[in-house]
Structures are given as structure tokens and as C-alpha cells.
Amino acid sequence: MRVLAIWGLVLLLCLQGIVIAQDNNAEVTETPDPPITLAIWWPDSIARINDSDIHPALLLQADAFAAQHANLTFDHRLKPTGGQTGSIMSTLRSASNAAQGALPTLTLIRRQDLLTARANGYLRSLEGFPSSVQLDLNNALSLGQIEDELYGIPYFLELQHVVYRPQENVNYEDWSFDGVLERGQGIIFPAGRTSSLNDVVALQYVSVSDENTSDAVMTFDEGAVSDIFTYYQATVDIGLLSGEILNFNTVTGYFPNFVAGDIDSAVMTSTQYLTLLNEQPNDDDEDSVIAIAPIPTASGDISTFLSGWMWVMIAENPREQEIAIDYIEYLLAPERHAEVAQELGLLPSRERSITQNLSNPEDVAFYLELIENGILPLTDSNIGVVGRTIQTQFATILTLEQTAEDGLQAVIDAVGG
């Protein structure tokens, strides 16, 4: 009996070993990630095609990204830009107050809206976004920074500069006020502004005034105003410009005239220049060749106001944020970024993407230098009384109502103490 008991115990231990071995060899069933949706609001001014559809290039890239992640779907919405009901900022405001479930994961906004959205608490910080992308954005990254914290990742840029038709045997290297006057080049721009200072004169003022920064109210610099007013009086005196440009508040007012060849030099955005290249590529025909250059300043130094569209994070869910950041990084891969910028006719924000996007090496070099020397855009609160007064007196010089000296004295009387 004792022997039988021992053999029984041995048999039991063997059976247990078999069970344990079977358990150790069993496959572990992983718990799948729960479904997640990234809600993307696209600005209609850059993403719309055929009046009501989102551009297929944007959707294809999102689909390719979703295919790499289990249980991930996208909810794409096309939203108006501007202040009207249903626009990105309007809907952020209303949904934040009443329907947070309707908020997007990500959206694209401009600098002024970035400041407003941050002040209202709509945005999440993007500190920690891959440094390799940040470094390649160069100075453009400042568009998304507020008090040294990152809230926006620039995706597409829109920079103002001169577009012109080069004339034979004319030297276009000097873009100072004196250089432009010497070659008799009249540059049309959106000079009209009723309650603020137009962008071109604002840039010309800030570029020569060390006292002015984009995060402070514009202060009075007598020398800067004198240089600008003297230049514009000279353009009127020799017939390069007239008060007619005060009728233009945007480039669209004279864009058709440039296309038709009635204007040879004008300030445009990079988007409008790329549109011209796509519709009328430079070729051997002299009349169709166009080139780009900086907006003239007293010194001739290259500069512009940085502008464009930035990705911002609205979602509060950590997992949603993590995937959203991966998605932005995916979109900003240089070749992918350049490809979609080409499809949409926009200027990509990354240096490496610009190099791949533009075929003309001179354009690439120009845009990289323009970005490097770009200035954050001024808000109406930055412009202040000084800027509004400069605009008023600038207009009277163009219309020959007073001289540059009289205009300067009027500014001094109003704001210079």
C-alpha cells in the first residue's frame, strides 16, 4: 500500500508538471487598444477644393497614417476662417463653453488667433515636440511660441515680398529705398487701411527702428518716419506711385492687373507667387519671366512679417494627444510635407521641405533667408496711436496734400510730444 501511495504521488506531480508546462507555452492574448478618433478641423481657405470638399492630398495622408495604427479613425471637418459664425475660432469659443465633446483634436490657425486661443485657455502646450523638426523650422518656429512656450507647429507659411518682371540690363540687387528710386521701379502694394497701419509701411518702419518689437506697442522714431515719408514723396514726385494705391486694401485688388501685364512690380504673398508659377511657369518668353525680392526698406536689408498656418492641440486626453503629435510629425516628414505643399500651392514651413518643394534654387535661397530674418506680425494693439497716425499722414503724402516734412511734423505734433 505504501508503494502504491508513493507511485500515486509521483503520478500526481507529473500531471501537475504537464499542466504547468502547458500553461507556460500558452499564447498570451493582448488586449487591443480601444478605438480612438482624431478630429481635425481644416481651414477652408487652404484645404478646400471644388467649393465644399477637403483636398484629397490631405485625406490620403491621413488615411496612410491611420493604416499604421490599429483602431484609429479620423473625423475631418472643413471650417471657415475669419470671425463669422461657424468659423474655427467662433466654434472653439462656443464649444468650449457648452459642448466640449464637439471640440477638435487638432486644428490650424494663424498667429493672431493663436494669441487669442491661448489667452482663452483653448490650447495645450506642445513643449517636447521632436527637436529635429523644431530645429529645421528655424525662425518660423517663433510663430508658435508665446513667452518662450510652444503652442503651435508651423505647417504652411505665407510671406509677403515683391514679385516683379525683370527688365534687361537692369541691376536688381539693391532693394534699399535709394536703389529702387535709382532704377525707377514703382512697386504697387495694399496701401489702404482705415483704422491701422498697412503692412508694407509697418515693416519698413519696424525694420529701421530699434525701439519697436512685435510684443510691445509701437513707439515713435522720428528718423524712421522721416526716411519713409521722404521715400514715398520721391515716388510720387517722379511718377512711380500715386494716391490710387490707397484704393487697394489687399493684393486681390491688383492681382489681375499684374497677371495681365499692366503692372510689372507688386507686393504679393508667397501663396500668390506660387499660384503664378503654377499657372504661368517661367519659360524663355521674356514677358512671362517673374522674380521675387524683398520689400524695399531704408537699408535694403531683407525682412518680412512671418505669417502662416500652425497646428495647435485642443484635445485634453493624453492618449489622443500622443497620437496627434505623432500625426503632426508624420505630416512634417520633408518629402511628405513638400508633396502636399506642392498639391495645395503653398509654401511649406520646414527648410528641408522648401528645398524639395521649389525647383528654382534662387527661390529656395531667397525664402530661407526671408524666414531667417522674418519678424512676428504686429497686432492692432501693437500698432497703437503711433501707427495709425503714420498711416494717416502717409496717405496725405501720396495724394499730394502735404510734403514729407509737413507729414513728419504732423506725426510729431500728434504723438512725438
Side-chain angles (χ1 to χ4, degrees):
M1 290 294 293
R2 184 177 178 183
V3 173
L4 289 175
I6 292 173
W7 277 109
L9 181 59
V10 171
L11 180 61
L12 179 61
L13 290 173
C14 290
L15 290 173
Q16 287 179 335
I18 293 171
V19 172
I20 292 172
Q22 288 176 338
D23 289 342
N24 289 338
N25 292 330
E27 292 185 4
V28 178
T29 303
E30 294 184 3
T31 304
D33 290 332
I36 193 165
T37 298
L38 297 188
I40 312 296
W41 287 0
W42 297 99
D44 61 358
S45 58
I46 62 169
R48 181 176 55 198
I49 192 171
N50 298 328
D51 294 330
S52 60
D53 298 327
I54 298 171
H55 199 290
L58 299 170
L59 301 179
L60 285 172
Q61 288 192 351
D63 289 344
F65 178 80
Q68 299 176 11
H69 296 76
N71 295 325
L72 172 64
T73 57
F74 279 87
D75 177 17
H76 298 283
R77 303 291 176 91
L78 201 60
K79 290 283 185 179
T81 52
Q84 69 267 40
T85 301
S87 67
I88 289 175
M89 291 302 295
S90 170
T91 313
L92 280 179
R93 189 179 304 111
S94 58
S96 295
N97 294 330
Q100 292 208 358
L103 290 170
T105 308
L106 297 167
T107 189
L108 289 158
I109 59 177
R110 292 181 180 270
R111 173 70 183 185
Q112 180 56 58
D113 289 336
L114 180 86
L115 298 175
T116 302
R118 174 65 186 96
N120 290 329
Y122 304 152
L123 306 183
R124 314 279 81 79
S125 172
L126 289 171
E127 288 295 327
F129 190 83
S131 59
S132 59
V133 178
Q134 291 192 40
L135 291 173
D136 198 44
L137 288 168
N138 201 340
N139 189 42
L141 191 67
S142 62
L143 264 177
Q145 294 173 321
I146 302 175
E147 297 177 352
D148 295 327
E149 188 162 2
L150 187 63
Y151 288 97
I153 303 296
Y155 189 33
F156 300 120
L157 299 179
E158 191 163 62
L159 309 176
Q160 294 185 75
H161 53 74
V162 172
V163 180
Y164 68 101
R165 292 186 176 86
Q167 304 300 312
E168 191 175 357
N169 299 323
V170 176
N171 184 353
Y172 290 96
E173 293 181 3
D174 186 355
W175 289 91
S176 67
F177 288 161
D178 290 341
V180 172
L181 291 172
E182 185 176 345
R183 61 177 172 264
Q185 188 175 13
I187 301 171
I188 306 299
F189 65 96
R193 193 65 65 88
T194 55
S195 60
S196 189
L197 180 61
N198 71 75
D199 287 345
V200 169
V201 175
L203 179 69
Q204 291 166 336
Y205 184 77
V206 173
S207 68
V208 296
S209 175
D210 293 334
E211 299 178 34
N212 293 284
T213 61
S214 59
D215 58 356
V217 176
M218 183 180 287
T219 55
F220 178 59
D221 184 320
E222 183 175 339
V225 176
S226 178
D227 287 344
I228 291 168
F229 283 4
T230 300
Y231 166 67
Y232 282 107
Q233 181 176 329
T235 65
V236 174
D237 288 345
I238 61 179
L240 299 179
L241 295 176
S242 72
E244 291 184 3
I245 66 171
L246 294 169
N247 296 323
F248 300 128
N249 295 314
T250 65
V251 176
T252 54
Y254 54 77
F255 188 78
N257 301 83
F258 185 92
V259 174
D262 299 329
I263 295 173
D264 286 329
S265 298
V267 171
M268 296 186 190
T269 66
S270 51
T271 303
Q272 289 154 337
Y273 171 64
L274 294 175
T275 298
L276 284 171
L277 287 185
N278 289 334
E279 294 179 353
Q280 189 179 356
N282 284 337
D283 52 36
D284 294 333
D285 182 1
E286 242 181 61
D287 294 333
S288 70
V289 174
I290 56 176
I292 51 180
I295 292 171
T297 60
S299 64
D301 292 340
I302 187 169
S303 187
T304 193
F305 286 126
L306 293 171
S307 185
W309 295 95
M310 293 171 284
W311 284 111
V312 293
M313 180 81 72
I314 309 297
E316 295 184 352
N317 179 281
R319 181 165 173 259
E320 193 175 345
Q321 289 180 353
E322 182 181 356
I323 297 176
I325 287 176
D326 288 345
Y327 175 56
I328 299 174
E329 186 179 7
Y330 175 86
L331 295 178
L332 286 169
E335 186 173 343
R336 194 175 294 121
H337 191 199
E339 179 184 358
V340 79
Q342 181 70 35
E343 289 284 343
L344 272 62
L346 299 170
L347 183 69
S349 55
R350 289 190 67 172
E351 288 192 4
R352 290 170 61 192
S353 303
I354 291 173
T355 301
Q356 295 186 31
N357 176 248
L358 301 176
S359 58
N360 185 344
E362 292 182 0
D363 286 355
V364 171
F366 172 77
Y367 278 125
L368 293 183
E369 187 177 1
L370 199 62
I371 293 168
E372 175 64 22
N373 293 281
I375 303 169
L376 287 177
L378 300 179
T379 64
D380 287 343
S381 60
N382 296 142
I383 295 294
V385 175
V386 171
R388 291 192 293 271
T389 305
I390 292 172
Q391 174 70 24
T392 300
Q393 302 308 321
F394 155 77
T396 64
I397 294 167
L398 283 179
T399 55
L400 298 176
E401 295 174 56
Q402 62 180 351
T403 65
E405 291 79 5
D406 292 337
L408 175 60
Q409 187 59 51
V411 177
I412 292 172
D413 293 342
V415 301

